[in-house]
């Protein structure tokens, strides 16, 4: 499926989250993970255009940025998007990380707890570093909230196939998950497989 993305809005409190009039109640996919893990880059890779701001400075995304994904070319936009992507601020930026909720903006928990349209969470973990406690905490929180999620291993281009296979195995074990989809926003490796998981997870 070919999508065209349209930036909807930036929200820093629940009252600002886009309502049905903007999204038509389309299923939403949230991009979650530590600062600098590659959330905004992955969003851009999935839609094939530079919609979200990418930065080498961690902590760049400070609000939840919502994007509407329409099927086909821009001229043929149906009013209601097929999907909504939500690019979230990262956690784990502070050097001394107590818990993810302590340093995450206060509007994120209500988003995860209450957002009705939220159909699938993408939990991004860096394949180039050892498993992070903050990532395990997020995955546990989503399990407790009964939010469907997919764990995505980012920056796979920086590793050899052998190193990547090892990293994925270590991440699976540490986070106690069945699958980690390895991707690269630089080479687009794994992007097709992730799209398949997104379409399945959102039933689009
Ligand atoms: N080699 C490589 N670098 C990547 C990849 N994805 C992202 N990066 C780099 O990682 C840095 C952070 O990328 P972002 O996409 O802004 O990360 P983010 O998770 O949105 O960061 P915050 O908004 O600060 O939470 C940038 O310098 C990107 O170029 C990838 O697949 N491969
Ligand atoms: Mg970002």
């Amino acid at each position: 499926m070919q999508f065209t993305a349209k930036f909807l809005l930036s929200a820093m409190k629940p009252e600002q989250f886009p309502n049905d009039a903007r999204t038509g109640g389309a299923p939403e996919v949230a991009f979650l993970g530590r600062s600098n893990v590659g959330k905004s880059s992955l969003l851009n890779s999935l839609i094939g255009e530079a919609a979200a701001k990418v930065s080498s400075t961690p902590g760049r995304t400070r609000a939840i940025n919502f994007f509407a994904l329409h099927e086909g070319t821009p001229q043929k936009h149906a009013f209601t998007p097929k999907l909504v992507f939500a690019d979230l601020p990262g956690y784990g930026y502070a050097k001394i990380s107590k818990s993810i909720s302590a340093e995450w903006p206060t509007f994120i928990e209500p988003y995860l707890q209450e957002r009705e349209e939220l159909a699938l969470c993408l939990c991004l973990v860096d394949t180039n570093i050892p498993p992070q406690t903050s990532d395990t905490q997020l995955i546990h929180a989503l399990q407790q909230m009964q939010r469907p999620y997919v764990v995505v291993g980012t920056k796979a281009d920086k590793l050899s196939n052998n190193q990547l296979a090892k990293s994925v195995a270590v991440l699976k074990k540490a986070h106690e998950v069945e699958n980690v989809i390895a991707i690269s926003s630089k080479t687009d490796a794994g992007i097709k497989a992730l799209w398949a998981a997104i379409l399945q997870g959102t039933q689009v």
Side-chain angles (χ1 to χ4, degrees):
M1 230 182 289
Q2 185 66 45
F3 289 108
T4 310
K6 197 176 109 196
F7 173 72
L8 279 179
L9 56 84
S10 268
M12 296 194 75
K13 43 186 168 182
E15 303 85 82
Q16 296 170 338
F17 297 160
N19 59 19
D20 267 14
R22 299 295 297 278
T23 69
E28 205 157 283
V29 178
F31 291 68
L32 300 161
R34 297 172 70 246
S35 288
N36 222 39
V37 70
K39 298 177 291 297
S40 300
S41 301
L42 175 60
L43 190 151
N44 289 339
S45 277
L46 285 166
I47 57 187
E49 57 181 293
K53 276 211 184 75
V54 169
S55 168
S56 53
T57 319
R60 179 47 52 121
T61 310
R62 305 304 307 154
I64 304 182
N65 292 317
F66 292 89
F67 299 85
L69 270 67
H70 294 269
E71 226 172 327
T73 53
Q75 296 90 322
K76 290 179 189 158
H77 276 177
F79 178 72
T80 306
K82 277 272 166 189
L83 269 177
V84 172
F85 278 180
D87 189 16
L88 276 85
Y91 51 82
Y93 174 47
K95 287 227 167 67
I96 313 146
S97 173
K98 292 175 200 83
S99 74
I100 51 170
S101 56
E103 52 175 279
W104 233 0
T106 49
F107 53 85
I108 297 194
E109 208 167 306
Y111 173 81
L112 292 176
Q113 291 273 13
E114 289 153 31
R115 183 76 173 156
E116 257 180 57
E117 296 81 357
L118 180 55
L120 185 66
C121 294
L122 302 183
C123 300
L124 277 62
V125 299
D126 193 333
T127 58
N128 292 260
I129 58 172
Q132 302 290 302
T133 312
S134 53
D135 293 331
T136 312
Q137 283 178 357
L138 171 71
I139 292 164
H140 285 169
L142 294 174
Q143 288 168 344
Q144 258 165 18
M145 293 181 228
Q146 301 190 315
R147 287 291 193 189
Y149 62 88
V150 168
V151 180
V152 179
T154 64
K155 308 190 186 183
D157 57 280
K158 290 179 154 186
L159 298 175
S160 69
N161 287 345
N162 204 2
Q163 287 171 321
L164 182 61
K166 274 191 196 146
S167 167
V168 165
V170 169
L171 289 166
K172 275 197 219 172
K173 196 165 176 221
H175 299 312
E176 297 178 305
V177 293
E178 273 173 32
N179 201 14
V180 172
I181 302 179
I183 62 98
S184 165
S185 301
K186 286 256 147 81
T187 66
D188 277 354
I191 295 295
K192 265 196 180 163
L194 182 55
W195 254 127
I198 291 172
L199 296 178
Q200 196 192 16
T202 56
Q203 300 187 335
V204 164

